[in-house]
Amino acid sequence: MESIVCKFGGSSVANAKQIKKVTEIIKANLNRKYVVVSAPGKDEQDSEKVTDHLFNIAKAGNHFKSKKKNITGEESYNAVIQKFTRLINDLGIDGEDILQDLSNDLKKILPDPQKNDFFASRGEHYNAKVISRYFNKVGIASELALPEDIGFIVSEDFNNAKVVPVTYKNISSLSEKSGVIVIPGYYGITEKGDIAVFSRGGSDLTGGEVAYAMNASLYENWTDTDGVFQIDPRLIPDAEVIPRLTYKEIRLLSSKGFNVFHFDAMVNCKKRHIPINIKNTNNPATPGTLIVSERIPEETVVGIARLDDIAYLYVEKDGAGETIGFVNDLLRIMKDFGIETYHYPTDKDDVSIIFKQADLKGYEDDLKDTIQARLNPDNIELNYNITMLSPVGIGMKDQPGVIAVASTALKEKNINIEIIDQGPAQISFHFGVHKYHADMALKALYEALCRKGL
Ligand code: ASP
């Protein structure tokens, strides 16, 4: 039998109304056997996610303080209890025990960092209990599979845990369970028995790992948009949803500012060629975006990603071109400063390195001094406020003239291209333009490359 893993994100399970939509989705296809759920997200009643409230309780108000919000730990505690009380009442399930256990958990005294992760995991933990109970109430036979019970083992990297391989064997026994299996996302258990959470958005990862372990026929990732758009629809309201993308394309799009879903979630699905379908809980009839290993492109450029607030470092030194290891030494300095770097356009005696400007904040002079001391260049410049625009598409390979069309579109708007870099797989290229021109440039590229087609 076909088996589908579905993951429902925070907005899909934010309140009873949303959970009822999830129920209809499950009822519509009984192959949807494994259901991974997030903690309740934001809704009209609460403008914060339950997970953020939970971090705030664990950190006695400092989680929100660091985001310049004034919500105390106690207020967060009340918000979480109220959220689950509303869920239970509005779904009409019996949940006194759930509320009692939740309240006890949130009063537990634990050392750091275990406390943080244990508290953060409670949103998924109790939401799964609520949802499984509701499924049974409305006639969908359901069993709960908690990570601590099924051997979902993760590393001890608190707040950034990784799945340990034995997990795949352990959870493959889920196939023996009957009915629809509800699994809380975002956390696992360490060998020592502590709860540890993945990085934020980590329920996607749980879904991907379950899909891999069960060798699922499909991984459905249910969210609140119709899929992956060609371009940010806030800028181009009539941008279309991309029907099919390869793993490689989504990777290029998501690493460049497309906030799609947790990349780690894809890695194992890719190994087993499990397609991932990004779908909208609020509009389940639309097909969404299907991510696959291979596809035959009908278009040249499938989407354009955007990354704002980029800086580039420019270093020039006579003879650098013949100095073995010059670029390596420069990159080593960036590493020492903990700066993630993106592109490296180079020429004979000059190199530039592209990175997020926020990563350098406050260290500009230190970086320049270090480069001067270690590499003794003739010139160092730091340039800010660049936006990288990156057209992506496997149809671009072996297609002449794509960059010509793109650069002509910018020329017609009198926009200067400050950086150009072509991805080595020839399925993407990157233009850096000044922030001031970014919106106009993106629109022009969209018109020329996506709307008109090539
Ligand atoms: N609830 C967690 C978060 O808000 C994990 C998730 O929703 O995927 O990051």
Side-chain angles (χ1 to χ4, degrees), residues 201-451:
S203 295
D204 282 349
L205 182 56
T206 308
E209 300 295 26
V210 172
Y212 174 77
M214 306 315 295
N215 205 1
S217 46
L218 180 65
Y219 172 25
E220 290 180 341
N221 197 284
W222 291 85
T223 170
D224 55 5
T225 57
D226 280 346
V228 180
F229 287 84
Q230 295 167 301
I231 192 170
D232 188 342
R234 285 169 302 187
L235 190 65
I236 309 273
D238 61 353
E240 286 169 26
V241 168
I242 305 169
R244 288 167 93 82
L245 278 173
T246 64
Y247 299 114
K248 179 94 179 160
E249 287 171 313
I250 186 104
R251 173 77 176 133
L252 290 171
L253 288 171
S254 56
S255 66
K256 290 279 163 283
F258 267 55
N259 197 2
V260 192
F261 77 118
H262 208 296
F263 167 65
D264 293 350
M266 199 171 74
V267 177
N268 277 334
C269 288
K270 184 177 170 206
K271 281 187 199 146
R272 291 207 161 148
H273 305 286
I274 299 168
I276 303 169
N277 197 183
I278 300 185
K279 300 245 322 162
N280 190 351
T281 302
N282 304 319
N283 191 9
T286 50
T289 298
L290 193 67
I291 302 166
V292 289
S293 303
E294 281 176 51
R295 69 181 186 100
I296 297 168
E298 281 165 18
E299 73 301 290
T300 308
V301 171
V302 75
I304 307 175
R306 164 183 185 154
L307 198 59
D308 288 310
D309 301 319
I310 292 297
Y312 72 94
L313 169 74
Y314 173 83
V315 178
E316 187 184 18
K317 180 174 175 161
D318 280 344
E322 285 81 34
T323 312
I324 294 175
F326 186 84
V327 176
N328 178 54
D329 293 346
L330 188 57
L331 287 173
R332 163 84 36 165
I333 296 172
M334 301 305 277
K335 181 172 180 230
D336 293 347
F337 276 76
I339 297 173
E340 191 183 336
T341 55
Y342 289 78
H343 307 282
Y344 324 93
T346 58
D347 210 331
K348 193 79 177 159
D349 288 335
D350 37 23
V351 185
S352 66
I353 296 184
I354 284 136
F355 53 94
K356 283 194 186 143
Q357 62 199 38
D359 289 354
L360 183 63
K361 218 164 179 202
Y363 298 103
E364 292 88 345
D365 290 341
D366 281 358
L367 179 72
K368 281 188 176 176
D369 291 348
T370 308
I371 295 171
Q372 195 63 53
R374 290 211 221 156
L375 300 177
N376 194 25
D378 303 321
N379 184 18
I380 311 175
E381 278 170 33
L382 276 166
N383 298 285
Y384 300 99
N385 297 325
I386 300 290
T387 292
M388 296 302 290
L389 299 174
S390 306
V392 172
I394 52 171
M396 232 188 265
K397 192 160 163 52
D398 303 323
Q399 162 85 41
V402 187
I403 297 183
V405 170
S407 56
T408 306
L410 298 194
K411 177 181 174 277
E412 278 163 6
K413 298 278 178 215
N414 210 15
I415 297 171
N416 181 38
I417 303 168
E418 298 196 25
I419 301 165
I420 304 181
D421 192 22
Q422 180 171 237
Q426 296 177 41
I427 61 169
S428 65
F429 60 92
H430 315 284
F431 281 175
V433 298
H434 192 277
K435 175 185 185 171
Y436 177 74
H437 300 299
D439 283 357
M440 210 205 307
L442 189 52
K443 282 184 190 160
L445 290 176
Y446 173 74
E447 276 300 321
L449 300 173
C450 299
R451 211 196 304 262

Side-chain angles (χ1 to χ4, degrees), residues 27 134-141:
K27 277 188 183 162
Y134 181 67
F135 280 176
N136 281 311
K137 179 187 168 220
V138 296
I140 303 173

